[in-house]
Amino acid sequence: DAGITQSPRHKVTETGTPVTLRCHQTENHRYMYWYRQDPGHGLRLIHYSYGVKDTDKGEVSDGYSVSRSKTEDFLLTLESATSSQTSVYFCAISESLGASQLADHNEQFFGPGTRLTVL
Amino acid sequence: GENVEQHPSTLSVQEGDSAVIKCTYSDSASNYFPWYKQELGKRPQLIIDIRSNVGEKKDQRIAVTLNKTAKHFSLHITETQPEDSAVYFCAAINFGNEKLTFGTGTRLTIIP
């Protein structure tokens, strides 16, 4: 597995509380992503980063914010958690999905996931 | 934006038989199509991918085919084994756009 860790791995919280999930990589990859995985929906992109301090929204970004102050860390914050944000959250990294023709540079590697329950 | 549809959502096959999972995409500019396998409780992992300048790619018992005209691609697993039981996701991306769009997944069960 590529050097990606997520913390915490499990969290139970209450509605209305702030929650921050951390993704840490040791691969020095440029791109980092946050997905949520829900039954029947597959993997949906929340936010992604294409460099330090450079981020953009995905398809399900409402209620989430992100920050990337260092190459190796990408934080996902739920400012005020809701029950609809109960999900499994995956971080992913890639060097470049599109620009390089080399197979080694095209894979997106996933972290182990964080199971978040909002009561 | 890109939309990827995946069928079927569940698939059961006898051990030793073949399994086929199909995906369609909407953006004709998409040019890279990976397939990920996710075992229960684990992270998704890349098993095979194909670029738009190639019609078919094989890796042992796994193959992927791409029809650009029809905008669909398929995963073929031959001589299925119990360890092939997992959820499989297809995805699509346009070079220059670093965002993968995933299908909704297929739960494959291999019956011994």
Side-chain angles (χ1 to χ4, degrees):
Chain A
D1 292 331
I4 314 171
T5 57
Q6 292 183 229
S7 58
R9 295 292 313 281
H10 303 271
K11 186 171 182 65
V12 179
T13 191
E14 294 187 349
T15 297
T17 60
V19 176
T20 295
L21 308 182
R22 181 185 183 231
C23 178
H24 179 78
Q25 61 147 329
T26 58
E27 305 295 325
N28 201 36
H29 282 0
R30 177 182 177 187
Y31 297 89
M32 299 186 75
Y33 308 80
W34 276 107
Y35 294 91
R36 60 177 291 173
Q37 184 173 32
D38 305 288
H41 292 278
L43 292 153
R44 293 182 292 174
L45 182 66
I46 304 171
H47 282 281
Y48 73 105
S49 169
Y50 47 97
V52 174
K53 298 191 188 307
D54 292 323
T55 64
D56 203 355
K57 296 179 180 180
E59 64 178 303
V60 290
S61 59
D62 288 348
Y64 302 94
S65 63
V66 290
S67 66
R68 190 170 179 199
S69 58
K70 299 184 290 185
T71 299
E72 56 266 36
D73 289 325
F74 193 32
L75 304 180
L76 178 70
T77 297
L78 291 65
E79 300 290 348
S80 178
T82 68
S83 58
S84 64
Q85 294 175 311
T86 292
S87 187
V88 178
Y89 291 85
F90 284 99
C91 173
I93 64 173
S94 71
E95 178 53 31
S96 173
L97 278 175
S100 173
Q101 297 295 318
L102 298 176
D104 286 349
H105 293 173
N106 294 127
E107 184 170 352
Q108 189 167 108
F109 298 94
F110 285 83
T114 294
R115 183 173 296 278
L116 176 67
T117 302
V118 183
L119 301 176
Chain B
E2 175 66 277
N3 182 51
V4 177
E5 295 190 357
Q6 183 172 347
H7 299 281
S9 56
T10 60
L11 178 61
S12 295
V13 300
Q14 290 290 142
E15 182 177 353
D17 288 350
S18 296
V20 180
I21 302 170
K22 298 181 179 181
C23 289
T24 61
Y25 61 99
S26 61
D27 186 354
S28 57
S30 288
N31 43 25
Y32 174 66
F33 307 92
W35 285 87
Y36 284 80
K37 175 183 180 181
Q38 186 180 27
E39 298 177 351
L40 188 63
K42 301 290 183 62
R43 70 189 80 188
Q45 293 192 302
L46 181 73
I47 56 171
I48 195 167
D49 56 13
I50 191 168
R51 295 176 179 273
S52 59
N53 59 350
V54 176
E56 183 176 4
K57 184 178 178 180
K58 290 183 179 180
D59 182 2
Q60 299 183 347
R61 297 186 297 108
I62 294 173
V64 57
T65 59
L66 172 65
N67 183 325
K68 288 173 54 181
T69 302
K71 291 190 286 187
H72 67 69
F73 56 112
S74 300
L75 177 71
H76 304 253
I77 306 175
T78 59
E79 302 173 9
T80 53
Q81 301 170 3
E83 54 264 37
D84 294 330
S85 293
V87 177
Y88 292 81
F89 292 97
C90 62
I93 189 171
N94 173 12
F95 280 162
N97 174 355
E98 298 291 342
K99 296 185 287 185
L100 274 174
T101 299
F102 285 87
T104 51
T106 296
R107 181 174 300 279
L108 175 63
T109 302
I110 306 302
I111 304 167

